[in-house]
């Protein structure tokens, strides 16, 4: 720990320590490539050769996934476009009107100031995209470029996340004792193990001064932009591709895109609420957050729309209403719980929350024991997870094979585009390993996050937390967990 830094309790390794950190650092990018190639518009989802492992060969797999060779994983166009998008996000952050707020109090005292306008920045970009689409339809260069360079854009953002994590790690050694700019090291990122600290994040709130742009808080900037908006842009790209392929847009891809856009723009609208999230208050900024923000969120969360671009699924009115019901139910829990917590933290005497019961802790904080937070200690995670169902359900019993058109009584057997048709065939059901992955992953993520929250709160509040657990015994799902 740097000399003069506020004393913190020793933190145990998370994510399996240095070995786990190394596995995640190289394993997750590999997984992103795996799903990008094995669910494709060349041969199917999953690639047909994977359904016959006894006859699988490397060459056959390469042919099935459209392997471009290692040199084809990146190109200059993708690099220029990605940096252009980042620069645009930065410029909009600077020039558009913004809300200026203070964050929570730091361990070393003082509060950082933040400038938030992610919502208006996103609207600006969406207006440009809408104008281009009105003029050129699904062949608007934005949509065609992203779809044609999908893997190359993925690679570029992976490399940026590695570079960004390395930059903030090196820069963290310039943090000074009693820093006048309130820079401080994250409690969990000072283990002394280079691999682990680089991965988990050594500095809590890394900032950089950019000419003409001023001081940019790297963590909050990357948290919601550019990655979160890129998630919606990718969804819209796949919607445009479906229209280009089939001449219409299905209710399923509209529902997926709307659901995910609602989640994204809600987060952008309530941008300042992230200042109370564990990502901001506790975690350092390292590869874990850099990769998660810039790669994992946009490129894996949009898998359902990417699937539906090739295999259109029609839900019908009843199917749409069922999925929308699930989405709205989850959103209601998520937003109502978070609003209650944030309002109480900012002003416990606000008329909407002054009736809530709470435990006054020895640290000065208040732990809510009624309302939403009296039902479960992390009730917002339940709403978050339920919303994830609505992202996956529209893909149905997923899986498809792309083949040359075949006709029966003059009719094409499956959905056709160009000289190809898409049928489910033997792939039916196997595609669910990809399209429903998000639902399973998100459950694991939220339980892991809840366990981290529990450990940190127990250390922070001690006996007060034990009393809180007695009053609110359920963690996420009341009556079950």
């Amino acid at each position: 720990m740097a000399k003069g830094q506020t004393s913190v309790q020793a933190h145990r390794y998370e994510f399996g320590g240095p070995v786990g950190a190394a596995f995640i650092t190289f394993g997750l990018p590999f997984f992103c490539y795996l799903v990008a190639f094995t669910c494709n518009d060349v041969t199917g989802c999953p690639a047909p050769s994977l359904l016959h492992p006894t006859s699988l060969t490397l060459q056959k797999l390469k042919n099935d996934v459209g392997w471009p060779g290692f040199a084809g994983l990146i190109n200059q166009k993708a690099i220029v476009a990605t940096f252009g998008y980042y620069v645009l996000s930065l410029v909009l952050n600077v020039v558009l009107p913004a809300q200026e707020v203070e964050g929570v109090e730091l361990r070393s005292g003082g509060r950082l100031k933040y400038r938030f306008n992610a919502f208006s920045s996103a609207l600006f970009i969406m207006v440009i995209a809408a104008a281009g689409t009105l003029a050129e339809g699904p062949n608007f260069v934005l949509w065609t470029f992203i779809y044609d360079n999908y893997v190359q854009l993925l690679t570029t953002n992976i490399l940026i996340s590695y570079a960004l994590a390395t930059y903030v790690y090196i820069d963290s050694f310039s943090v000074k004792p009693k820093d006048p700019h309130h820079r401080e090291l994250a409690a969990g990122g000072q283990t002394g193990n280079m691999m682990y600290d680089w991965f988990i994040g050594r500095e809590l709130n890394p900032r950089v001064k950019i000419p003409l742009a001023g001081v940019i808080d790297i963590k909050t900037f990357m948290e919601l932009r550019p990655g979160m908006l890129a998630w919606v842009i990718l969804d819209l790209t796949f919607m445009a591709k479906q229209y280009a392929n089939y001449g219409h847009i299905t209710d399923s891809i509209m529902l997926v895109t709307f659901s995910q856009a609602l989640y994204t723009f809600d987060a952008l609208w309530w941008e300042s609420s992230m200042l109370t999230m564990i990502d901001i208050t506790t975690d350092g900024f390292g590869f874990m957050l850099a990769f998660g923000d810039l790669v994992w969120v946009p490129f894996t969360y949009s898998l359902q729309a990417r699937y539906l671009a090739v295999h259109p699924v029609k839900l019908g009115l009843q199917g749409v209403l069922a999925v929308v019901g699930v989405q709205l139910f989850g959103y209601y829990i998520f937003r109502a719980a978070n609003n209650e917590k944030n309002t109480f933290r900012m002003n416990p005497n606000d008329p909407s929350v002054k009736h809530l019961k709470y435990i006054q802790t020895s640290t000065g904080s208040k732990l809510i024991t009624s309302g939403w937070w009296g039902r479960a200690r992390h009730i917002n995670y339940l709403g978050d997870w339920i919303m994830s169902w609505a992202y996956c359900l529209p893909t149905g019993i997923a899986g498809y094979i792309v083949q040359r058109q075949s006709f029966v009584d003059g009719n094409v057997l499956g959905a056709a585009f160009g000289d190809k048709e898409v049928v489910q065939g033997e792939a039916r059901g196997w595609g669910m390993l990809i399209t429903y992955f998000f639902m399973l992953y998100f459950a694991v993520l939220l339980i892991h996050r809840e366990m981290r929250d529990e450990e940190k709160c127990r250390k922070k509040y001690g006996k007060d937390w034990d009393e809180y657990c007695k009053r609110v015994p359920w963690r996420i799902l009341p009556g079950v967990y």
Side-chain angles (χ1 to χ4, degrees):
M1 180 167 57
K3 182 179 178 181
Q5 280 288 312
T6 303
S7 177
V8 296
Q9 290 180 309
H11 275 60
R12 67 174 179 82
Y13 282 134
E14 298 182 82
F15 301 100
V19 174
F23 177 79
I24 294 171
T25 296
F26 300 106
L28 290 190
F30 174 79
F31 177 82
C32 290
Y33 284 123
L34 181 68
V35 294
F37 282 111
T38 58
C39 188
N40 61 71
D41 61 0
V42 178
T43 57
C45 180
S49 58
L50 294 174
L51 302 176
H52 304 280
T54 56
S55 60
L56 178 65
T57 65
L58 182 59
Q59 187 57 49
K60 186 182 295 186
L61 183 61
K62 286 182 176 180
N63 293 338
D64 275 2
V65 302
W67 175 246
F70 287 104
L73 295 178
I74 194 169
N75 60 36
Q76 187 177 5
K77 294 184 296 183
I79 295 173
V80 172
T82 301
F83 276 94
Y85 173 61
Y86 279 62
V87 170
L88 175 60
S89 298
L90 182 62
V91 170
L92 294 176
N93 177 65
V94 174
V95 302
L96 293 180
Q99 175 191 20
E100 295 188 0
V101 299
E102 288 188 339
V104 299
E105 187 173 355
L106 300 167
R107 287 196 321 272
S108 55
R111 299 171 185 263
L112 291 172
K113 293 183 178 180
Y114 296 87
R115 177 182 171 84
F116 291 142
N117 61 8
F119 185 82
S120 58
S121 297
L123 287 183
F124 183 92
I125 293 174
M126 287 294 100
V127 167
I128 295 175
T133 305
L134 286 173
E136 301 184 18
N139 295 318
F140 178 41
V141 64
L142 175 63
W143 313 132
T144 57
F145 178 84
I146 292 174
Y147 193 87
D148 293 342
N149 294 275
Y150 177 81
V151 170
Q152 293 76 21
L153 292 169
L154 169 63
T155 301
T156 303
N157 282 279
I158 289 173
L159 294 177
I160 290 174
S161 66
Y162 280 121
L164 185 58
T166 302
Y167 168 77
V168 294
Y169 175 77
I170 294 173
D171 191 54
S172 71
F173 289 94
S174 66
V175 174
K176 299 179 176 65
K178 299 181 180 179
D179 192 283
H181 302 294
H182 302 300
R183 294 179 65 192
E184 63 179 53
L185 301 181
Q190 305 175 56
T191 67
N193 182 282
M194 182 182 296
M195 179 70 216
Y196 181 81
D197 291 348
W198 173 85
F199 167 80
I200 206 72
R202 194 167 183 273
E203 186 172 354
L204 179 66
N205 42 30
R207 294 188 162 200
V208 59
K209 189 172 184 179
I210 301 176
L212 303 180
V215 176
I216 301 297
D217 187 274
I218 296 174
K219 187 196 286 186
T220 55
F221 183 87
M222 297 300 172
E223 184 80 16
L224 293 182
R225 43 163 147 197
M228 283 284 282
L229 182 59
W231 176 13
V232 176
I233 291 173
L234 282 170
D235 281 351
L236 293 172
T237 296
F238 301 133
M239 183 183 288
K241 184 62 177 179
Q242 186 189 80
Y243 188 85
N245 283 342
Y246 302 108
H248 65 272
I249 298 173
T250 59
D251 50 13
S252 57
I253 198 169
M254 284 193 289
L255 192 54
V256 166
T257 303
F258 174 78
S259 298
Q260 297 180 350
L262 173 64
Y263 181 89
T264 298
F265 279 89
D266 176 78
L268 298 177
W269 177 261
W270 298 100
E271 186 177 12
S272 61
S273 67
M274 72 171 160
L275 295 178
T276 61
M277 292 167 50
I278 192 172
D279 289 2
I280 306 301
T281 63
T282 306
D283 292 339
F285 186 83
F287 179 78
M288 179 181 73
L289 287 182
F291 181 84
D293 293 342
L294 306 181
V295 181
W296 190 255
V297 168
F299 288 94
T300 65
Y301 287 20
S302 60
L303 286 175
Q304 295 80 22
R306 186 167 181 259
Y307 170 89
L308 292 169
V310 181
H311 181 232
V313 174
K314 296 180 180 179
L315 298 174
L317 180 60
Q318 289 184 336
V320 169
L321 291 177
V323 175
V324 169
V326 170
Q327 170 76 15
L328 292 179
F329 179 59
Y331 176 75
Y332 170 69
I333 296 174
F334 172 81
R335 181 46 56 203
N338 279 331
N339 281 353
E340 183 181 82
K341 176 188 67 175
N342 292 328
T343 301
F344 186 82
R345 283 186 175 181
M346 295 298 179
N347 180 16
N349 295 316
D350 187 285
S352 65
V353 297
K354 66 179 183 180
H355 65 282
L356 295 176
K357 297 178 181 179
Y358 60 87
I359 295 174
Q360 180 69 57
T361 69
S362 58
T363 64
S365 300
K366 297 179 176 70
L367 300 174
I368 304 172
T369 59
S370 65
W372 282 106
W373 302 91
R375 294 181 173 92
R377 302 195 293 274
H378 309 276
I379 190 69
N380 56 326
Y381 291 169
L382 176 62
D384 227 353
W385 187 54
I386 291 175
M387 279 192 287
S388 75
W389 304 357
Y391 305 161
C392 306
L393 292 172
T395 64
I397 302 176
Y400 63 79
I401 294 173
V402 179
Q403 60 187 31
R404 288 190 175 279
Q405 287 186 19
S406 55
F407 297 84
V408 174
D409 296 330
N411 297 315
V412 180
L413 289 177
F417 63 96
D419 63 344
K420 299 178 180 178
E421 66 177 352
V422 179
V423 298
Q424 289 206 280
E426 62 180 353
R428 178 178 167 85
W430 288 106
M432 295 174 72
L433 293 173
I434 295 173
T435 64
Y436 285 78
F437 163 78
F438 179 78
M439 205 165 126
L440 176 61
Y441 150 76
F442 209 49
V444 174
L445 171 72
L446 293 174
I447 290 173
H448 177 263
R449 177 169 289 188
E450 169 267 320
M451 293 172 67
R452 295 180 71 211
D453 291 348
E454 289 281 320
E455 180 182 352
K456 287 169 181 174
C457 288
R458 183 162 281 107
K459 286 181 179 180
K460 180 178 181 179
Y461 300 117
K463 292 182 179 179
D464 291 328
W465 186 256
D466 293 334
E467 176 60 26
Y468 176 58
C469 292
K470 290 179 182 178
R471 297 193 195 183
V472 186
W474 303 109
R475 293 170 178 254
I476 297 178
L477 181 58
V480 178
Y481 175 75

